[in-house]
Each structure stands twice: as structure tokens, then as C-alpha cells.
Amino acid sequence: MTTVVVVKKAGQIAIAADTLVTFGDTRLAHRFEDNTKIFKVETDDGPSYIGMAGTVAHFPVLRKAMGSMPREILRLGSKDEVFDTFTKLHPYLKDNFFLQTKEEDSDPYESSQFSVVIANASGIYGLYSYREVFEFKEFWGIGSGRSFALGAMHAAYAKAKTAREVAEAGIAAGCEFDRNSELPCDIFTVKTKDAKEAK
């Protein structure tokens, strides 16, 4: 499990994640392996940062799959674009990476089996296993440390000057209290589209 957060504030977008990987009772800390949980994809609208929570197997699969998508269908600049991109990605994951899509007998749709947050100049988005997409106005978190992170970011948001500060507070709380999250963290920032256009 993990703690991954996204924040939008004062013309800045931030995404951050801890660097601990766990296998049952075994912990693989950053000291032993470069456990990056955020990756960057280039789109026609600029860079997007993708953070993920779920089984470790998802990380290389999603990075490879998104990296091989034609840029004309790799669109992440709105809720609808995120939905369309991941809907097109789902059969590719099944056919080429053997994604197991069933969680429960009562599933309304095939599951993609992961939770993702996306940060780019257009905003911050969350995508869940049935490809339901949310666009967050201020901040959000995923992973086993999300409750701690959300509380810390809620407390920090009004006082903080930048999105980065809020994200750092969220990751610090997740790593302090969630046994499956640990510093150091990776953090990336971009300017919002509005902030770029104002210059």
C-alpha cells in the first residue's frame, strides 16, 4: 500500500508519493530499491504525472502501457478525456498484460484493479477501478495512508502558500501514521493552465 496525494493551490499543481513497497510482512524501503510510485507521460497538452495505489505489479504495467499509447488518444486534460483514455487502455491491459478484471460476482463492470491520481496543468484527477473519474478542486489522496494525508492537508490548506507545502504535509502525515508508507517522498509540481496564461 502507499500514500499518494494531489493538490491544487495558488496556480500550482503538486503530486507526491511515499517510497515504501511492502510484500505481505516484508518492507522494501527506498534504501534498497528505487520505489518510484509516480511516473510522467508526455501528451499533446504537456506533461502529466501519474501516481498509483495497488499491487506492485500495476506500476510497470501502467507505465509501459501508457508509454506505448499513441499521443492522439493519450489525453488527460479533463474528466472526459481521462475517462476516454482509460476506457481505451482497459482492453489493451487485458490483451497484452493479462489484467484480471474480476473482483466480485456482483461487479457492475470489469475492474481495472487500481486507483490512480493524475496531476497536470489542467487540474488534479482521480480514477478508480471501474473507471469512475473525479476532478478535485483542492486536494485528494489514495492508498492506505490517505486518511492521515487528507486530515493533514485539510488542516494545512488554508495556511499554506503553495500546493507543494500542502502535499508535503499530507505525505508526512501518511508516513508518520500508516505502517505501509515511508519517507523519503517523490514530489513533482507544475503550473496550472490559468497561471501559465496569466503571464
Side-chain angles (χ1 to χ4, degrees), residues 2-6 14-19 34-41 48-53 59 62-63 116-119 142 167 171 184-189:
T2 190
T3 303
V4 187
V5 301
V6 286
I15 185 169
D18 80 292
T19 54
D34 184 16
N35 298 324
T36 301
K37 298 175 184 179
I38 299 171
F39 63 92
K40 179 180 173 182
V41 293
S48 287
Y49 292 92
I50 315 293
M52 187 177 1
F59 293 89
L62 194 59
R63 188 173 55 247
V116 168
V117 287
I118 300 165
I142 58 173
I171 290 296
C185 73
D186 291 319
I187 187 163
F188 301 93
T189 60

Side-chain angles (χ1 to χ4, degrees), residues 58-164:
H58 289 319
F59 293 89
V61 167
L62 194 59
R63 188 173 55 247
K64 284 275 194 187
M66 292 187 81
S68 66
M69 288 181 83
R71 280 177 73 140
E72 61 270 13
I73 65 170
L74 181 59
R75 305 299 303 265
L76 301 168
S78 70
K79 282 176 67 172
D80 284 343
E81 287 183 358
V82 171
F83 176 81
D84 290 344
T85 294
F86 278 86
T87 298
K88 290 170 185 162
L89 187 62
H90 183 76
Y92 185 73
L93 294 172
K94 287 171 47 179
D95 295 343
N96 295 281
F97 296 96
F98 315 107
L99 174 69
Q100 176 56 258
T101 62
K102 189 170 183 176
E103 290 182 18
E104 305 288 336
D105 288 336
S106 59
D107 285 352
Y109 299 98
E110 289 185 353
S111 171
S112 292
Q113 304 279 3
F114 48 70
S115 299
V116 168
V117 287
I118 300 165
N120 58 46
S122 71
I124 54 176
Y125 306 94
L127 176 105
Y128 291 88
S129 58
Y130 301 124
R131 290 157 304 286
E132 57 268 60
V133 180
F134 300 89
E135 182 174 5
F136 304 110
K137 294 180 180 178
E138 295 180 349
F139 58 85
W140 196 246
I142 58 173
S144 56
R146 77 180 168 278
S147 297
F148 305 114
L150 288 171
M153 291 189 295
H154 176 73
Y157 194 84
K159 295 178 276 189
K161 290 185 170 65
T162 66
R164 184 185 185 99

Side-chain angles (χ1 to χ4, degrees), residues 1 18-37 56 179-180 182-183:
M1 297 302 283
D18 80 292
T19 54
L20 177 67
V21 170
T22 56
F23 304 92
D25 292 331
T26 303
R27 294 162 45 91
L28 181 60
H30 188 269
R31 171 184 167 194
F32 299 104
E33 208 260 337
D34 184 16
N35 298 324
T36 301
K37 298 175 184 179
V56 175
R179 67 180 179 162
N180 295 311
E182 184 175 287
L183 294 172

